[in-house]
Each structure stands twice: as C-alpha cells, then as structure tokens.
Amino acid sequence: MTVFREIEDRDVDDVVVLWQACGLTRPWNDPYKDISFARAGSHSTVLVAEHEGRITASAMTGHDGHRGVLYYVAVDPEFRGQGLGRKAVFAAETWLTQRGVWKMNLLVRSENESVRGFYEALGYTVNPVLCMGRKIAP
Ligand SMILES: CC(C)(COP(=O)(O)OP(=O)(O)OC[C@H]1O[C@@H](n2cnc3c(N)ncnc32)[C@H](O)[C@@H]1OP(=O)(O)O)[C@@H](O)C(=O)NCCC(=O)NCCS
C-alpha cells in the first residue's frame, strides 16, 4: 500500500531529481526554494511517496485561507499508470480537507495540455477564468 507522508530533509535532493525527470522544473524557478518555502509555514507542504527507499511521487499543496492549490504533482516515469498520480492528488486533497479547505485550484501549463485528461479523470474541470500574475518581489 502506498502511503504519502510529509517531505523530510533527507528527501529533498531526490524530490528535485524526480521533478527534473518529470519535466516540472524551469530555469526561473528554484525547486529548492519552492520546497523550503512550502515547508516553512503550516499552511503548505510537500507530500511524497516512497518505494524501497526511492521517492516515486510527490504533490505540493497548501491554502491561502480561502482555496487549496496543487503544484508539482509528479510520478516517476517507471511507476506511472498504476494509480500513483491519483493517490498523490488524493493525499493533497486529504491534507487540505483536514484543515477545513473545501475547494482546490490548480494550474496546468499550456504546453502540458496532455495532462488535462489526468485531472479530468480525477473529477477536475476547466474553469472559465483568466489566470493573471505578476512578480511582486525580485
Ligand atoms: C500526470 C501524472 C502525475 C499521472 O501519474 P500516473 O501515476 O500515471 O496517473 P494514474 O495512474 O494515477 O492515473 C489516474 C487516471 O488518470 C488517467 N491518466 C493518467 N495520465 C493521463 C494523461 N496524460 N491523459 C489522460 N488521462 C491520464 C489514467 O488513465 C487514470 O484513469 P482511470 O483511473 O480512470 O483509469 C504523471 O504522468 C506525471 O508525473 N507526469 C509528469 C508531470 C506532470 O505533468 N504533472 C502535472 C503537472 S500540472
């Protein structure tokens, strides 16, 4: 049985390797900083699954006092197609519902449209909203 747990110090390098293998890192995002920031507060976390000492899946989640968000959903390519991605999302949903959150939002990069079917299989729908953003600190 796969159990998702909160990331520990010893997992950090392996999680970054997983994200790189899954094509989720970008030159302008420092994954170490993302992990460290998510772990710094009580409203966010990184959840991981492990198989024989190897990190096989992750999900970063948190909430802003209103809605939950989901980032870095990743499954090691060798472990895909076995329900691990579904479990990662469910682990994040459970982490949030235990903290009183009832709605989840997530972003899918436009170049990663192929993953849309994965979220649709899990009951997510495309919302008719325009996502806008701006960097507010260097
Ligand atoms: C997307 C990802 C997490 C799926 O992981 P996985 O372990 O293979 O997914 P699961 O086996 O849990 O699949 C769950 C369901 O989604 C479906 N599914 C999985 N990937 C899919 C895809 N790319 N398109 C359509 N459906 C998909 C499965 O068929 C399954 O449906 P079912 O339960 O009705 O049979 C994995 O492919 C991955 O890490 N991709 C790279 C990283 C990424 O793009 N993450 C998302 C960032 S927004």
Side-chain angles (χ1 to χ4, degrees):
M1 194 185 79
T2 309
V3 177
F4 278 80
R5 59 169 173 80
E6 302 221 20
I7 191 172
E8 294 174 12
D9 289 345
R10 65 186 166 93
D11 306 315
V12 173
D13 286 337
D14 291 344
V15 169
V16 172
V17 168
L18 172 70
W19 291 354
Q20 287 166 341
C22 291
L24 294 180
T25 53
R26 292 293 181 276
W28 56 89
N29 273 352
D30 177 355
Y32 286 95
K33 186 176 171 188
D34 286 351
I35 292 171
S36 161
F37 195 45
R39 295 178 74 195
S42 60
H43 290 176
S44 52
T45 189
V46 180
L47 302 170
V48 297
E50 188 178 337
H51 178 76
E52 295 176 352
R54 174 173 170 182
I55 297 295
T56 53
S58 74
M60 176 187 282
T61 194
H63 71 87
D64 56 12
H66 184 52
R67 286 181 178 162
V69 285
L70 189 57
Y71 300 99
Y72 290 114
V73 173
V75 173
D76 183 320
E78 286 183 32
F79 289 80
R80 288 184 190 166
Q82 303 169 31
L84 204 43
R86 181 186 286 278
K87 285 178 185 164
V89 174
F90 183 67
E93 291 172 348
T94 303
W95 192 92
L96 289 167
T97 56
Q98 286 170 346
R99 287 157 181 81
V101 181
W102 64 94
K103 185 163 184 184
M104 177 82 96
N105 281 348
L106 62 91
L107 300 171
V108 176
R109 287 181 194 280
S110 46
E111 70 266 25
N112 196 12
E113 173 77 9
S114 64
V115 85
R116 180 171 159 177
F118 165 70
Y119 288 113
E120 285 175 342
L122 273 58
Y124 285 77
T125 54
V126 177
N127 291 332
V129 295
L130 182 65
C131 175
M132 298 178 70
R134 182 172 94 82
K135 251 193 171 174
I136 58 167

